[in-house]
Amino acid sequence: EPLRAGPLVVESRTTTSATVTIRIAFDAGSADDPPGREGLTALTARLMSEGGAGELDYAALTERLFPTAATMSARAGRDQTVFVARTPTASLEE
């Protein structure tokens, strides 16, 4: 299967939602784990979502997200790994 030229962007907007959700999906999942290293994709996704962001370690990131009620998570399925960020619309600027 040929690689796409770039990311596929799917956008859905509503003016009545109180939250903004961003999902980023990668076509790689647990089926791609090397033999003998089962769980590697799930571990990598978890480290990416809970390991901090840029200059912020996990504790600093959590401290910054908590007052805004924002969340970040990751889930590795068989064929895809999905990262999800969610925040209330009122906290979007922060």
Side-chain angles (χ1 to χ4, degrees):
E1 175 178 317
L3 294 174
R4 289 189 284 238
L8 172 65
V9 177
V10 178
E11 187 176 321
S12 176
R13 293 180 184 231
T14 177
T15 58
T16 59
S17 179
T19 62
V20 173
T21 303
I22 299 171
R23 295 181 197 281
I24 302 172
F26 295 90
D27 288 330
S30 62
D32 299 302
D33 287 347
R37 296 190 178 203
E38 290 78 10
L40 183 62
T41 302
L43 176 63
T44 302
R46 185 172 179 186
L47 288 172
M48 290 176 69
S49 67
E50 295 179 7
E55 305 272 328
L56 302 174
D57 62 11
Y58 178 70
L61 180 61
T62 302
E63 188 175 305
R64 184 151 318 158
L65 292 176
F66 181 76
T68 64
T71 61
M72 289 192 318
S73 63
R75 179 166 305 266
R78 183 187 181 297
D79 298 314
Q80 271 193 341
T81 302
V82 180
F83 293 87
V84 179
R86 179 173 290 141
T87 186
T89 306
S91 301
L92 188 58
E93 291 298 318
E94 293 176 48

